[in-house]
Amino acid sequence: MNASLRSSPNRIESPLDVRVMNLTTAAVVAVIGGVLVLALAAWFARQPFFVFRAIRLEGEVSRNSVATVRANVASRLAGNFFTLNLQDARNAFEAVPWVRQAVVSRVWPNRLVVRLEEHKPVAIWRGDEGNDRLVNSHGEVFEANVGDVDDERLPEFVGDESEAPALLSMYQRLEATLRPLDQYPVRLVLSSRGSWLVELDDASQIDLGRGTEDELIARCERFVRTISAVGVRQQRHWRHADLRHADGYALRFKPVDAGPVAQNNN
């Protein structure tokens, strides 16, 4: 009887310390490779080729020349195409007088493109102790040389700086409301108690009192509709109108001998 002998192959496993050594070697090689790649990238990024060679300004630069803007920001632009902090660059451009907003973009490989939006002055903000500033078309108070403004008809705003948008909105509505009188507001005051006072181009004043914007405009519209007839009856021009009355308004006229006060009830 023949017997077949079948032998099972023996599986030889590497010792544990050999496997650990192999894994350690692979990890070290990977780390060294990563360090070399980072070092190469850092060296590449520092090459003079990527230093900004040109800054192109777009948008509005009517208040500043290109040379002036560049001179103001040059010392604050640290870095190259790879290392420049765009937020820091934006802050540098927005610190230039008259610049409201800047959008900064990098253009490969060494150019910077900046789109500027300038402030559009619509009013003078009268501050304490002669600290006058300007108000832009968004109702924001900003620092600039008031003497640089050519428009001599800019109105004056007085109040808390946080109320600048409300002052601008009220001014725009008052300007349209008073147009039938051929007069326009030159000074608008909002007191700390919320009371409004308007001074017109002939130095006359309108005391609007307190209330919502719509309520105050409604009072002013009633005043505009009726003041012409009152002036004809008095044969004099008024100098102060008190619109705080619920059923009408009180007038003080420009004096001849002594100025009477007239009450108009609607």
Side-chain angles (χ1 to χ4, degrees):
M1 182 174 173
N2 295 327
S4 298
L5 297 177
R6 183 179 296 175
S7 60
S8 299
N10 293 327
R11 184 178 179 182
I12 301 175
E13 296 184 357
S14 300
L16 178 61
D17 56 346
V18 173
R19 283 180 290 164
V20 171
M21 183 179 297
N22 290 338
L23 291 174
T24 303
T25 301
V28 170
V29 170
V31 169
I32 293 174
V35 170
L36 290 175
V37 169
L38 291 175
L40 181 61
W43 173 85
F44 183 73
R46 290 196 301 269
Q47 295 308 298
F49 181 70
F50 299 108
V51 175
F52 289 110
R53 304 294 183 187
I55 300 175
R56 187 172 80 239
L57 299 182
E58 300 178 346
E60 304 169 345
V61 287
S62 61
R63 295 285 180 178
N64 290 289
S65 67
V66 174
T68 300
V69 174
R70 287 175 175 167
N72 273 272
V73 303
S75 62
R76 300 182 59 181
L77 295 179
N80 60 20
F81 182 87
F82 294 102
T83 61
L84 177 71
N85 185 305
L86 289 181
Q87 184 59 52
D88 289 345
R90 176 184 174 183
N91 293 340
F93 281 99
E94 291 182 352
V96 176
W98 290 100
V99 174
R100 176 178 181 264
Q101 190 175 59
V103 178
V104 182
S105 304
R106 289 174 287 213
V107 178
W108 177 266
N110 52 19
R111 288 192 300 144
L112 202 63
V113 177
V114 185
R115 176 167 289 277
L116 300 178
E117 177 192 348
E118 291 188 335
H119 293 286
K120 296 180 178 62
V122 297
I124 297 173
W125 187 266
R126 291 300 185 195
D128 298 332
E129 300 179 355
N131 182 27
D132 296 339
R133 289 173 289 170
L134 292 166
V135 182
N136 66 19
S137 55
H138 297 273
E140 300 163 341
V141 179
F142 67 98
E143 296 279 355
N145 185 358
V146 177
D148 290 341
V149 181
D150 299 327
D151 189 353
E152 297 180 355
R153 287 188 51 173
L154 286 186
E156 298 178 0
F157 291 170
V158 179
D160 188 274
E161 187 174 329
S162 63
E163 299 291 345
L167 280 154
L168 177 59
S169 177
M170 177 65 78
Y171 170 80
Q172 291 170 335
R173 295 187 66 178
L174 285 171
E175 186 180 35
T177 302
L178 294 167
R179 199 167 293 146
L181 300 180
D182 291 326
Q183 293 175 281
Y184 60 91
V186 297
R187 184 179 175 89
L188 186 59
V189 180
L190 177 57
S191 73
S192 59
R193 299 183 62 185
S195 185
W196 294 82
L197 180 68
V198 188
E199 183 175 326
L200 305 183
D201 56 305
D202 64 349
S204 55
Q205 295 182 336
I206 302 176
D207 192 342
L208 295 172
R210 290 184 288 181
T212 66
E213 185 175 298
D214 288 340
E215 290 171 343
L216 300 177
I217 292 299
R219 294 177 198 171
C220 195
E221 288 172 341
R222 179 182 60 191
F223 171 74
V224 170
R225 286 194 305 267
T226 59
I227 185 58
S228 296
V230 175
V232 169
R233 289 199 302 268
Q234 295 292 328
Q235 297 183 347
R236 280 185 295 170
H237 188 72
W238 57 278
R239 69 175 183 180
H240 185 274
D242 187 348
L243 276 56
R244 294 175 297 175
H245 304 273
D247 56 351
Y249 51 84
L251 294 175
R252 185 174 298 277
F253 290 90
K254 292 183 177 179
V256 176
D257 294 322
V261 174
Q263 178 79 33
N264 182 71
N265 295 320
N266 297 314

